[in-house]
Amino acid sequence: MAEAQNSPTSGVAAAGGPLPVGSTTAGSIAVAAESTVATRMSAPPSFDVASFPVPHGREEEWRFTPLERLRGLHDGTAVATAGVKIAVEAPEGVRVEAVGRDDARLGRAGKPVDRVAAQAYSAFEQASVVTVPKETVLTEPIRIAVHGDGGTAYSHQVIELGAFAEAVVVIDHTGDAVLAANVEYVLGDGAKLTVVSVQDWDDRAVHVAQHNALVGRDASFKSVVVTFGGDLVRLHPRVAYAGTGGEAELFGLYFTDAGQHQEHRLLVDHNVPHCKSNVVYKGALQGDDAHAVWIGDVLIEARAEGTDTYEMNRNLVLTDGARVDSVPNLEIETGEIVGAGHASATGRFDDEQLFYLMARGIAEQDARRLVVRGFFAELVQQIGVPDIEERLIAKIEEELEASVA
């Protein structure tokens, strides 16, 4: 598996231009590395849809997305209908509220940065605010079930933790829907939040969402994004810091099947000193026209001295006909950092691993399954919710069965 990486540790640098991030095989793998952090948005963040022109696919942030498959989410023609239900199951002591657009807690973690996110903000009927009071330590996860019955919906969710609170949140997307959403995570000082977002949609679903996290002083945020289903899934996780000592871990696992488009675009904005971030996303692809896109932007602002950050994306291509675009970007505006780096790798099975396993009497198909399980193992272990882990392992097995059928 070919890999490219760049790990500057001092000096003012902007590392995000063309990088040789993998190999290219005609008809099966394509890898791009042309974006820069400087072009991470076409307009300043805004709640107003009119602030963003209708995209045409030539814009940097839309150039990988097949706009014709967004079902009108990008140009305002998608009309909200019944058929998408959101249910929150929370332990005792957690406050769940339905609020209007004028609630001051909405938008604290960040404004929309593209037209779909702005459309989602302007079109939802009521937002959901889930609050974990300060110093509350939950022993059971908060579960948010988003299920579609063929409808079109716009939604906004806020998960807020008070100072020194600890919680795990599972957001589970199932069924068939056309959904544009904004999700905010607001962490008070010293709080610890783990979020597991599962995209297990039916084959026709379209899901576009912006996730904003604001990490308080000495707070810890861990995000695990798992994407399997859907015709088109486009997620935009973003992290900023509200105080020194904050830590963010962003993990992602995706399995892209024939005809699916799965796109994950990340931004970690180190905007205050002495914070950490670590990004690890892994994907497997199989089937004709399977297309995975990963954009990883890390910005270290001039005032963010003492930053320690690293991001990595790896992709395993199982069959011909699949395409990967992997673009890691790192922009550094101060030389006073602890460390910064990025890596990207795309390739097929490691023949040496297969040979090692087959030489010990393991059949080829079983050896391939073992390699894929091992590829994803470290990310599955990050989830920390046993029933979700078991379900995802079963889902991986199901996908692998399909690949050898």
mmCIF file of all heavy atoms in Angstrom, residues 131-147:
data_model
loop_
_atom_site.group_PDB
_atom_site.id
_atom_site.type_symbol
_atom_site.label_atom_id
_atom_site.label_comp_id
_atom_site.label_asym_id
_atom_site.label_seq_id
_atom_site.Cartn_x
_atom_site.Cartn_y
_atom_site.Cartn_z
ATOM 1 N N THR A 131 -29.084 18.160 26.843
ATOM 2 C CA THR A 131 -28.159 18.776 27.792
ATOM 3 C C THR A 131 -27.799 17.805 28.904
ATOM 4 O O THR A 131 -28.685 17.237 29.561
ATOM 5 C CB THR A 131 -28.773 20.042 28.418
ATOM 6 O OG1 THR A 131 -29.176 20.933 27.372
ATOM 7 C CG2 THR A 131 -27.767 20.748 29.310
ATOM 8 N N VAL A 132 -26.506 17.624 29.115
ATOM 9 C CA VAL A 132 -25.997 16.838 30.246
ATOM 10 C C VAL A 132 -25.464 17.842 31.266
ATOM 11 O O VAL A 132 -24.499 18.559 30.989
ATOM 12 C CB VAL A 132 -24.880 15.877 29.806
ATOM 13 C CG1 VAL A 132 -24.397 15.037 30.998
ATOM 14 C CG2 VAL A 132 -25.364 14.963 28.679
ATOM 15 N N PRO A 133 -26.105 17.924 32.439
ATOM 16 C CA PRO A 133 -25.693 18.940 33.425
ATOM 17 C C PRO A 133 -24.242 18.775 33.868
ATOM 18 O O PRO A 133 -23.652 17.695 33.761
ATOM 19 C CB PRO A 133 -26.663 18.698 34.599
ATOM 20 C CG PRO A 133 -27.829 17.992 33.992
ATOM 21 C CD PRO A 133 -27.257 17.140 32.891
ATOM 22 N N LYS A 134 -23.684 19.846 34.391
ATOM 23 C CA LYS A 134 -22.295 19.833 34.825
ATOM 24 C C LYS A 134 -22.057 18.741 35.874
ATOM 25 O O LYS A 134 -22.932 18.434 36.698
ATOM 26 C CB LYS A 134 -21.888 21.200 35.378
ATOM 27 C CG LYS A 134 -22.612 21.607 36.652
ATOM 28 C CD LYS A 134 -22.108 22.949 37.144
ATOM 29 C CE LYS A 134 -22.778 23.357 38.452
ATOM 30 N NZ LYS A 134 -22.280 24.667 38.944
ATOM 31 N N GLU A 135 -20.882 18.144 35.784
ATOM 32 C CA GLU A 135 -20.406 17.127 36.721
ATOM 33 C C GLU A 135 -21.241 15.849 36.701
ATOM 34 O O GLU A 135 -21.094 14.997 37.574
ATOM 35 C CB GLU A 135 -20.327 17.696 38.137
ATOM 36 C CG GLU A 135 -19.385 18.880 38.250
ATOM 37 C CD GLU A 135 -19.340 19.466 39.648
ATOM 38 O OE1 GLU A 135 -20.077 18.968 40.522
ATOM 39 O OE2 GLU A 135 -18.553 20.411 39.862
ATOM 40 N N THR A 136 -22.107 15.688 35.699
ATOM 41 C CA THR A 136 -22.881 14.458 35.549
ATOM 42 C C THR A 136 -22.083 13.455 34.728
ATOM 43 O O THR A 136 -21.631 13.762 33.629
ATOM 44 C CB THR A 136 -24.224 14.742 34.855
ATOM 45 O OG1 THR A 136 -24.981 15.654 35.637
ATOM 46 C CG2 THR A 136 -25.015 13.453 34.667
ATOM 47 N N VAL A 137 -21.924 12.249 35.270
ATOM 48 C CA VAL A 137 -21.198 11.191 34.565
ATOM 49 C C VAL A 137 -22.192 10.088 34.229
ATOM 50 O O VAL A 137 -22.697 9.396 35.125
ATOM 51 C CB VAL A 137 -20.040 10.640 35.421
ATOM 52 C CG1 VAL A 137 -19.328 9.504 34.681
ATOM 53 C CG2 VAL A 137 -19.047 11.756 35.760
ATOM 54 N N LEU A 138 -22.495 9.926 32.958
ATOM 55 C CA LEU A 138 -23.481 8.944 32.523
ATOM 56 C C LEU A 138 -22.838 7.573 32.372
ATOM 57 O O LEU A 138 -21.738 7.448 31.825
ATOM 58 C CB LEU A 138 -24.101 9.360 31.194
ATOM 59 C CG LEU A 138 -24.831 10.711 31.165
ATOM 60 C CD1 LEU A 138 -25.408 10.964 29.773
ATOM 61 C CD2 LEU A 138 -25.940 10.754 32.217
ATOM 62 N N THR A 139 -23.533 6.550 32.840
ATOM 63 C CA THR A 139 -23.043 5.179 32.711
ATOM 64 C C THR A 139 -23.689 4.451 31.541
ATOM 65 O O THR A 139 -23.248 3.360 31.171
ATOM 66 C CB THR A 139 -23.309 4.395 34.010
ATOM 67 O OG1 THR A 139 -24.719 4.422 34.295
ATOM 68 C CG2 THR A 139 -22.537 5.010 35.172
ATOM 69 N N GLU A 140 -24.747 5.031 30.970
ATOM 70 C CA GLU A 140 -25.410 4.474 29.795
ATOM 71 C C GLU A 140 -25.404 5.528 28.689
ATOM 72 O O GLU A 140 -25.483 6.727 28.964
ATOM 73 C CB GLU A 140 -26.852 4.082 30.106
ATOM 74 C CG GLU A 140 -26.977 2.938 31.101
ATOM 75 C CD GLU A 140 -26.443 1.633 30.546
ATOM 76 O OE1 GLU A 140 -26.537 1.437 29.310
ATOM 77 O OE2 GLU A 140 -25.935 0.809 31.342
ATOM 78 N N PRO A 141 -25.312 5.094 27.437
ATOM 79 C CA PRO A 141 -25.266 6.077 26.340
ATOM 80 C C PRO A 141 -26.604 6.755 26.094
ATOM 81 O O PRO A 141 -27.669 6.197 26.374
ATOM 82 C CB PRO A 141 -24.841 5.237 25.127
ATOM 83 C CG PRO A 141 -25.263 3.847 25.459
ATOM 84 C CD PRO A 141 -25.144 3.716 26.946
ATOM 85 N N ILE A 142 -26.539 7.972 25.569
ATOM 86 C CA ILE A 142 -27.700 8.649 24.998
ATOM 87 C C ILE A 142 -27.853 8.139 23.570
ATOM 88 O O ILE A 142 -26.897 8.149 22.797
ATOM 89 C CB ILE A 142 -27.503 10.176 24.996
ATOM 90 C CG1 ILE A 142 -27.303 10.703 26.419
ATOM 91 C CG2 ILE A 142 -28.668 10.880 24.320
ATOM 92 C CD1 ILE A 142 -26.825 12.145 26.464
ATOM 93 N N ARG A 143 -29.050 7.679 23.235
ATOM 94 C CA ARG A 143 -29.262 7.107 21.900
ATOM 95 C C ARG A 143 -30.253 7.971 21.119
ATOM 96 O O ARG A 143 -31.365 8.223 21.594
ATOM 97 C CB ARG A 143 -29.763 5.669 22.002
ATOM 98 C CG ARG A 143 -28.743 4.725 22.660
ATOM 99 C CD ARG A 143 -29.282 3.308 22.761
ATOM 100 N NE ARG A 143 -28.364 2.439 23.469
ATOM 101 C CZ ARG A 143 -27.448 1.667 22.879
ATOM 102 N NH1 ARG A 143 -27.344 1.679 21.554
ATOM 103 N NH2 ARG A 143 -26.656 0.895 23.595
ATOM 104 N N ILE A 144 -29.830 8.394 19.938
ATOM 105 C CA ILE A 144 -30.670 9.195 19.054
ATOM 106 C C ILE A 144 -30.899 8.391 17.780
ATOM 107 O O ILE A 144 -29.958 8.107 17.038
ATOM 108 C CB ILE A 144 -30.018 10.548 18.736
ATOM 109 C CG1 ILE A 144 -29.731 11.325 20.031
ATOM 110 C CG2 ILE A 144 -30.904 11.360 17.804
ATOM 111 C CD1 ILE A 144 -28.965 12.613 19.819
ATOM 112 N N ALA A 145 -32.147 7.983 17.558
ATOM 113 C CA ALA A 145 -32.492 7.180 16.384
ATOM 114 C C ALA A 145 -33.122 8.071 15.323
ATOM 115 O O ALA A 145 -34.129 8.738 15.579
ATOM 116 C CB ALA A 145 -33.450 6.067 16.779
ATOM 117 N N VAL A 146 -32.501 8.100 14.155
ATOM 118 C CA VAL A 146 -33.032 8.846 13.007
ATOM 119 C C VAL A 146 -33.448 7.825 11.964
ATOM 120 O O VAL A 146 -32.598 7.141 11.384
ATOM 121 C CB VAL A 146 -31.978 9.813 12.440
ATOM 122 C CG1 VAL A 146 -32.559 10.605 11.276
ATOM 123 C CG2 VAL A 146 -31.440 10.740 13.519
ATOM 124 N N HIS A 147 -34.763 7.706 11.728
ATOM 125 C CA HIS A 147 -35.256 6.680 10.807
ATOM 126 C C HIS A 147 -36.108 7.319 9.717
ATOM 127 O O HIS A 147 -36.989 8.140 9.995
ATOM 128 C CB HIS A 147 -36.084 5.637 11.556
ATOM 129 C CG HIS A 147 -36.563 4.525 10.663
ATOM 130 N ND1 HIS A 147 -35.729 3.511 10.219
ATOM 131 C CD2 HIS A 147 -37.782 4.284 10.102
ATOM 132 C CE1 HIS A 147 -36.410 2.695 9.447
ATOM 133 N NE2 HIS A 147 -37.655 3.141 9.353
#
